[in-house]
Amino acid sequence: MSPSPESVFPEYETDTSQTSKLIKKFKETPFVPIGMAGFVAVVGYGLYRLKHRGDMKMSLHLIHMRVAAQGFVVGAITCGMYGMGAVPASGKPRR
């Protein structure tokens, strides 16, 4: 008995490069990279505004930046859930 030359997971062996795997994941779930990009944008803008925060305390500025970044990510994931049809408009999940 010799082992079969067929692969058990052919879809994983055809996409060998990391770039092709990343593009495939982006096509499957487009709102995840949108959420990640928004998070990076909010953090970048917050760091830019760090110099011009005036008399605002550092901890308060960082809390505002964290809440904005998390809000963007949660909003993108929520829009993705509704966009993919995982949550119907009635609010009841599919079974």
Side-chain angles (χ1 to χ4, degrees):
M1 290 199 121
S2 65
S4 173
E6 295 178 12
S7 173
V8 179
F9 300 109
E11 65 272 1
Y12 290 109
E13 290 183 4
T14 58
D15 295 334
T16 56
S17 71
Q18 291 294 329
T19 306
S20 62
K21 289 179 183 179
L22 191 62
I23 291 171
K24 182 180 175 184
K25 284 293 184 185
F26 284 173
K27 288 180 182 178
E28 290 175 2
T29 56
F31 285 94
V32 171
I34 292 171
M36 290 169 46
F39 176 80
V40 169
V42 168
V43 169
Y45 179 72
L47 291 175
Y48 170 75
R49 294 292 300 168
L50 190 63
K51 292 190 323 187
H52 308 290
R53 69 180 188 271
D55 59 348
M56 183 186 295
K57 288 185 177 181
M58 172 77 91
S59 62
L60 187 62
H61 177 75
L62 293 176
I63 288 171
H64 287 175
M65 188 173 64
R66 180 184 64 89
V67 168
Q70 284 180 334
F72 192 93
V73 170
V74 169
I77 291 173
T78 302
C79 289
M81 292 294 289
Y82 279 105
M84 300 293 272
V87 180
S90 66
K92 297 178 184 175
R94 289 186 185 173
R95 289 188 179 225

